[in-house]
Amino acid sequence: MKVNPHGTRMGERFIKKIIDHAVGEQTEQIYVTVFEQHEALITLFRRYGFEQIGTKTSNNGIELVLAKNIHANYLGMYSGYPLVKLGQNKAYILSLYPQWHTRLLPDSILRNETNDIVEDTSSANSIHKVYLTKMHGVDALRQGDILAIYRTSDGQGPAHYRSVVTSIGVVEEYRHLDSFASAEEFFRYCRPYSVFTRHELEDLWRRRNYPFVFKFMYNLSFKRKVTRAVMIEELGLPGTEQYWGFFEISHGQLRAIANKGEADESLIID
């Protein structure tokens, strides 16, 4: 891989694509060779679980050989990526409007969407995402909690059939808007990973109408989107009595949704 750095975190997107391809091909190990002077790239690979297993000598010099085992012992959410660890962590349904969903999760677009709307931006490319909301209950999120990302209806039909779960993410951190000491700290935290422009973030900071801020990792994208109808009628999730913006689900329901979405279930571990 060769990436010309231009501030949009394209390196992370390459790593995600490589790992996704390996998972799809049921390949257990990935390796890459890299020259020692490329320190930033090596740091990036190491963060997501690549470890040096040797060196390679060629006419161009000596390269490090870095490898990652997809199902290696889970040591943490970063090195273990894309594994999703249940453990004592809670699982939730989290809704995103279509316009935010597509810009934030480019590998989870629907068949009726075009890749032309996926932009080369840091929020689209990065494995990490920042989301701002005012939905009740979101302040309960803690590091390690699991999110089933629910794309709300596009208005082209009944929400029962048009609203779908498309992917799974893992919470890195929850913060309240008041926890930021200044507007500049808030901008630095949000700008690389959120869909909002600097101007929009300035407006959100001033109006303070979206006080819940959390960062999550984009771990699994479903092959088949799971409709609200399937979740209610086949998997036992609550119906119209439940507000579908944000609510807790069981680990069993999360696994059932992932199964319906044809995700690799070996990536969800106890």
Side-chain angles (χ1 to χ4, degrees), residues 155-226:
Q156 298 181 26
H160 199 58
Y161 302 102
R162 301 293 297 184
S163 299
V164 292
V165 170
T166 67
S167 40
I168 291 176
V170 176
V171 176
E172 296 179 68
E173 183 181 37
Y174 164 81
R175 295 185 66 171
H176 192 278
L177 194 66
D178 292 340
S179 71
F180 295 95
S182 65
E184 193 56 41
E185 182 191 352
F186 171 69
F187 299 148
R188 286 197 306 269
Y189 186 86
C190 296
R191 186 66 191 99
Y193 307 109
S194 82
V195 297
F196 298 111
T197 64
R198 170 84 186 209
H199 176 74
E200 289 170 331
L201 287 172
E202 288 174 350
D203 188 54
L204 290 169
W205 174 261
R206 184 175 60 256
R207 294 172 63 187
R208 311 187 82 76
N209 55 336
Y210 290 94
F212 305 137
V213 184
F214 61 91
K215 184 184 291 184
F216 68 96
M217 296 181 72
Y218 181 23
N219 291 63
L220 306 179
S221 180
F222 292 175
K223 295 179 183 177
R224 181 183 294 275
K225 312 311 184 223
V226 186

Side-chain angles (χ1 to χ4, degrees), residues 15 30 45 109 122 190 228 231 238 251 255 267:
I15 288 177
I30 311 163
F45 278 120
I109 63 175
S122 58
C190 296
R228 179 170 168 173
M231 288 187 284
H251 288 175
R255 284 190 179 276
L267 299 178

Side-chain angles (χ1 to χ4, degrees), residues 48-75:
Y48 298 108
F50 286 80
E51 298 179 348
Q52 184 178 345
I53 60 172
T55 59
K56 173 188 174 184
T57 303
S58 68
N59 293 334
N60 295 320
I62 299 175
E63 295 177 88
L64 306 183
V65 180
L66 306 178
K68 175 183 175 67
N69 291 328
I70 299 296
H71 295 92
N73 290 336
Y74 186 88
L75 299 177

